Amino acid sequence: MVSLKLQKRLAAEVLKCGKRKVWLDPNEVNEISMANSRQNIRKLVKDGFVIKKPENIHSRSRARVAAAAKAKGRHTGYGKRRGTREARLPTSLLWMRRMRVLRRMLRKYRDAKKIDKHMYHELYLKVKGNVYKNKRVLMESIHKEKAERLREKAIAEQFDARRTKNKAARLRKLERREERLAQGLNFEQKK
């Protein structure tokens, strides 16, 4: 049996694969053993005496089925868990997600002029202080705060209107009194 070690190495280089993927035709051993250059090996490849073996099939179908089952929540009981709860889903990660969601919402509201910068800052600090657990609670809080501010504004406006009205009435009263006094003095002088 002739050693075809050199030919196998050259063929691997020519075919750009590993030596384990090179197939040398056992019926053409003499022909192949004569080839001692890359050029000769290329000719053998062209003739079909040297072939690159196909890739081994490594199916992922079972892995896909298992992943789909896991997505549904199967195979995740206590017996399948290796890491601690913190290692599997860190609380810091949950916190970061929540902060980013709430801060994004605040930014959106501020840019849309739904809240002013003062209210934004107030709510930002409250979000950081763990006051709101999700977007719904924060949204409700914003609506409540806005309604409260509108109510206070309306009350203040009413109060101002009442004050100006009373002031105007007082002024009119004073003017009338002065007019009456002036008329009274005129009346006395005529006598």
Side-chain angles (χ1 to χ4, degrees):
M1 181 72 193
V2 188
S3 172
L4 302 175
K5 209 171 177 184
L6 169 73
Q7 285 76 4
K8 189 160 256 199
R9 179 174 66 78
L10 292 175
E13 282 187 30
V14 167
L15 295 169
K16 294 191 171 68
C17 64
K19 284 182 279 195
R20 64 197 286 271
K21 282 272 182 277
V22 173
W23 178 81
L24 305 174
D25 193 339
N27 302 325
E28 306 291 338
V29 171
N30 293 331
E31 183 85 20
I32 293 169
S33 64
M34 298 294 285
N36 60 358
S37 69
R38 287 176 177 76
Q39 194 63 46
N40 293 353
I41 294 287
R42 281 194 199 95
K43 187 176 179 304
L44 291 173
V45 169
K46 197 176 171 188
D47 295 344
F49 298 158
V50 175
I51 299 171
K52 182 180 179 179
K53 289 187 203 169
E55 291 288 326
N56 290 336
I57 291 170
H58 183 187
S59 170
R60 277 199 54 78
S61 64
R62 284 185 302 279
R64 278 194 212 99
V65 168
K70 219 163 196 184
K72 284 182 181 173
R74 316 285 186 265
H75 320 294
T76 53
Y78 291 126
K80 292 284 180 185
R81 299 180 196 174
R82 298 296 296 273
T84 61
R85 181 191 287 158
E86 187 68 19
R88 286 162 67 87
L89 186 58
T91 48
S92 66
L93 186 75
L94 293 171
W95 172 260
M96 282 193 291
R97 278 183 195 162
R98 189 164 54 142
M99 285 299 102
R100 284 170 185 171
V101 164
L102 295 176
R103 285 173 179 175
R104 196 180 305 127
M105 186 181 157
L106 282 177
R107 271 200 304 276
K108 207 167 80 178
Y109 269 41
R110 184 185 60 185
D111 295 341
K113 301 281 188 286
K114 288 185 181 177
I115 56 175
D116 62 347
K117 62 179 183 180
H118 304 294
M119 195 170 175
Y120 168 85
H121 186 63
E122 205 173 286
L123 290 168
Y124 186 95
L125 293 177
K126 277 186 179 175
V127 164
K128 189 183 179 184
N130 198 17
V131 175
Y132 308 113
K133 70 172 185 175
N134 54 34
K135 267 167 72 169
R136 184 178 53 79
V137 175
L138 177 57
M139 203 182 292
E140 283 171 7
S141 171
I142 288 171
H143 292 321
K144 207 173 187 181
E145 183 80 18
K146 280 174 77 176
E148 183 68 28
R149 289 196 180 184
L150 278 172
R151 203 169 64 83
E152 282 177 8
K153 196 176 177 186
I155 289 169
E157 280 173 3
Q158 283 176 0
F159 187 71
D160 283 348
R162 195 179 296 137
R163 185 189 286 159
T164 51
K165 189 177 156 192
N166 290 344
K167 198 172 184 183
R170 254 201 322 275
L171 283 169
R172 277 202 308 277
K173 203 172 179 185
L174 276 170
E175 284 171 10
R176 275 207 306 274
R177 186 184 289 163
E178 284 172 7
E179 277 178 30
R180 275 206 304 274
L181 277 170
Q183 282 175 357
L185 285 172
N186 287 344
F187 188 69
E188 282 175 16
Q189 281 175 0
K190 281 178 186 175
K191 281 182 178 177

